[in-house]
Amino acid sequence: MSTGPSSHDRRLELLAERALFGLSPEDQRELERLGVDDSPVDDLALAAAALDLCLHGQAMAHETLPAPLQQRTLDAVRKTAVEDRKAMPSVVPIPVGRRVVNNAPRRDWLGWAVAAAAIAVAAFSFTRQPDLREESPMELRSKLIAASKHDPGSVFQSDWTVTEDPAAKGASGKLIWSNKLQRGVMEFSGVEVNDPTKEQYQLWIFDADRPEATPVDGGVFNIPSDTEIVLIPIDARLPIAKPTLFAITVEKPGGVVVSDRERLPLIAPVPNEDSTQ
Amino acid sequence: MSASATSVMARVAKGGPAAMEDCLARYGGLVWSLARRFSPTNADAEDAVQEVFIEVWRNADRYDEAIASEATFIAMIARRRLIDRQRRSERQPQTTSWDETTLPQSARDPAEWLQVCDDAKRARAKMQELSDEQQRVLLLALEGGCSQSEIAERLRLPLGTVKTHARRGLIRLRELLAAGTDKLTGKGGAA
């Protein structure tokens, strides 16, 4: 019927027009029909932006954002961050398949004399000062799962392996981590509820590029009593180059800088080096 | 690869409030300049700047230094938002309405700016390989901020022809920039 451009070519035409002039509602609908996500990032928009910078760069070099506007902008971003975070509950029940408990023996890596790379802080979900980009754990989990679909190998998932520690009796769940994003989330079911006034769980991340004796502190967290499934975002205090093992200890409130590793209920070994890129 | 751990965008993606302050300090002037060019009034430009940086914050984890410099990435987000605002309000840029005496002085060295804009220089060089008509239309669109109708009037060309030159010119430029390299830019923004 048509001797016009193919849908692929037409899509490119519309993206080019969008990058230069924007689209009429009719053209926007056509672009949507051709199957375009609403991402602001595309090659044509980048090319237009590069050309814009070239043509106007000298003028831009003489510009500075007025200080009051800079502060208002920062406030607007912070407000948005808080609103976005409130849009999702911090702990969301999700059905998780139960695992056969594996009573793993203690191995040599348990001999670490932990000297944490950073000072531990208060619990993730309740008392930690929020970061600008803090998302709900569910939102973060969804993002990581999505990343694993369109960038296989960028995200790894590992079931928790339980030890003989009573806190892990009947525990299951998994750890999801993206080295690319340097973000992750821990999923737990059946882990013993803790009394934050007496003890807290603390995550440690072993990095092949760091001495085994000094894993990176991943923060402290609590297991609440009224939730079947708990999601905890991972907040590494230092960049993780090549994670080899994630381990959870039970420590005093607020966590420790050096763990005596007396209680170590859960570990999650990294499947293989290639899956952490 | 994505952004190096020390880049401003990588730190914004990680979420530290200080990182966003750094981002505003480094790229606020760029966005402010774009916003003023696309906006009819100071108030409109100020609103736009806030919208743009909210978008920058939301999309920071999409940044990949292998593809573009931070400046280009932020300019892309800003242009998209500003063009959308412009179309929604059916306004055209009115840069002459600005009181030049109110413009802030720069804290940035232009020489440093040119270093940040390696990909911009490449885009300019590759533009010379486009047809004369494509170059003229793109220059009027990007340098003059003209609408397609205005370009058609100035060049005395049918509107459809202007649209074709603009679209094909930008698509060809994208192809030229990608040829022989997997990235738009030689390097990311200076830390």
Side-chain angles (χ1 to χ4, degrees):
Chain A
M1 114 183 170
S2 166
T3 56
S6 68
S7 62
H8 171 75
D9 290 342
R10 179 60 181 155
R11 178 179 171 276
L12 276 182
E13 285 182 351
L14 289 170
L15 286 171
E17 187 161 332
R18 183 174 74 173
L20 291 168
F21 305 107
L23 294 177
S24 66
E26 185 184 347
D27 283 345
Q28 181 62 40
R29 283 193 294 274
E30 182 183 0
L31 187 58
E32 286 162 6
R33 281 197 303 273
L34 291 168
V36 173
D37 68 25
D38 202 35
S39 165
V41 184
D42 69 67
D43 292 347
L44 290 163
L46 281 169
L51 204 50
D52 193 315
L53 288 180
C54 176
L55 298 171
H56 297 279
Q58 284 288 26
M60 291 177 182
H62 293 283
E63 294 280 5
T64 304
L65 194 62
L69 177 57
Q70 182 165 327
Q71 188 56 54
R72 284 203 302 279
T73 303
L74 188 60
D75 292 344
V77 172
R78 284 178 172 154
K79 184 177 176 213
T80 301
V82 170
E83 286 169 355
D84 285 358
R85 195 164 62 246
K86 282 179 180 171
M88 298 285 287
S90 61
V91 177
V92 184
I94 316 165
V96 176
R98 308 288 290 186
R99 245 185 358 90
V100 175
V101 171
N102 173 14
N103 290 323
R106 289 197 167 198
R107 296 170 10 203
D108 286 348
W109 57 261
L110 284 174
W112 43 288
V114 178
I119 295 172
V121 295
F124 277 110
S125 310
F126 309 104
T127 56
R128 187 161 62 89
Q129 220 177 9
D131 283 341
L132 263 181
R133 194 165 184 79
E134 195 168 11
E135 300 164 295
S136 75
M138 188 56 171
E139 195 177 6
L140 175 57
R141 182 185 185 277
S142 300
K143 180 184 284 190
L144 291 168
I145 297 295
S148 71
K149 286 176 181 168
H150 46 69
D151 187 8
S154 69
V155 176
F156 75 83
Q157 302 184 44
S158 177
D159 283 351
W160 291 111
T161 298
V162 302
T163 69
E164 300 95 334
D165 191 285
K169 188 179 179 184
S172 65
K174 64 184 175 185
L175 172 137
I176 308 171
W177 172 260
S178 165
N179 229 43
K180 189 174 182 178
L181 299 176
Q182 289 288 293
R183 304 177 78 188
V185 67
M186 297 179 284
E187 194 172 294
F188 299 107
S189 176
V191 176
E192 187 177 60
V193 173
N194 65 298
D195 178 349
T197 64
K198 295 179 180 174
E199 59 191 19
Q200 288 189 289
Y201 293 98
Q202 185 163 3
L203 171 68
W204 305 94
I205 307 168
F206 289 78
D207 186 341
D209 282 5
R210 299 178 188 278
E212 195 174 271
T214 56
V216 174
D217 170 23
V220 297
F221 62 95
N222 302 313
I223 300 293
S225 60
D226 56 350
T227 310
E228 184 183 343
I229 307 295
V230 179
L231 295 179
I232 305 287
I234 296 174
D235 181 28
R237 301 295 194 267
L238 290 171
I240 309 298
K242 296 173 189 167
T244 58
L245 179 83
F246 291 73
I248 291 170
T249 61
V250 181
E251 307 291 354
K252 66 183 182 184
V256 296
V257 176
V258 178
S259 174
D260 62 9
R261 70 199 184 282
E262 189 171 309
R263 294 192 59 192
L264 193 142
L266 296 157
I267 59 168
V270 175
N272 61 65
E273 199 171 306
D274 291 340
S275 63
T276 66
Q277 301 310 302
Chain B
M1 99 187 218
S2 59
S4 62
T6 55
S7 75
V8 172
M9 293 309 296
R11 288 188 289 115
V12 169
K14 289 278 281 181
M20 200 64 212
E21 288 179 46
D22 290 348
C23 184
L24 281 160
R26 173 161 285 277
Y27 299 112
L30 183 161
V31 173
W32 179 229
S33 174
L34 281 162
R36 287 178 48 245
R37 180 148 48 90
F38 278 83
S39 306
T41 65
N42 189 70
D44 195 65
E46 290 189 0
D47 289 347
V49 165
Q50 293 176 53
E51 281 187 22
V52 166
F53 276 105
I54 287 170
E55 283 298 297
V56 167
W57 174 74
R58 283 178 165 154
N59 289 283
D61 58 356
R62 294 173 183 261
Y63 174 65
D64 186 341
E65 67 186 9
I67 294 172
S69 71
E70 288 183 336
T72 306
F73 179 80
I74 289 171
M76 175 197 65
I77 289 174
R79 282 178 50 83
R80 171 97 177 262
R81 173 62 58 158
L82 291 162
I83 289 171
D84 284 351
R85 283 174 63 92
Q86 198 178 74
R87 286 200 73 108
R88 277 201 309 269
S89 62
E90 295 298 322
R91 293 173 185 148
Q92 294 301 318
Q94 299 172 20
T95 52
T96 53
S97 68
W98 290 80
D99 176 3
E100 297 296 318
T101 62
T102 66
L103 300 186
Q105 294 303 302
S106 174
R108 182 187 288 281
D109 175 2
E112 181 197 350
W113 179 264
L114 290 176
Q115 284 192 323
V116 169
C117 290
D118 265 6
D119 43 358
K121 287 186 285 186
R122 289 181 60 236
R124 185 66 192 242
K126 294 295 182 185
M127 196 175 175
Q128 309 309 311
E129 299 182 39
L130 303 181
S131 72
D132 288 346
E133 294 85 358
Q134 288 171 349
Q135 286 188 49
R136 277 199 292 270
V137 169
L138 285 178
L139 281 171
L140 284 171
L142 287 159
E143 193 160 30
C146 296
S147 68
Q148 293 171 101
S149 304
E150 287 169 330
I151 295 170
E153 192 176 335
R154 287 172 78 161
L155 297 181
R156 297 182 182 177
L157 291 171
L159 181 60
T161 303
V162 167
K163 288 188 174 197
T164 300
H165 286 325
R167 292 164 172 174
R168 292 184 182 171
L170 188 62
I171 290 166
R172 178 68 182 138
L173 180 66
R174 191 275 310 267
E175 289 167 353
L176 291 166
L177 287 167
T181 175
D182 62 350
K183 53 205 272 190
L184 178 70
T185 181
K187 61 182 178 183

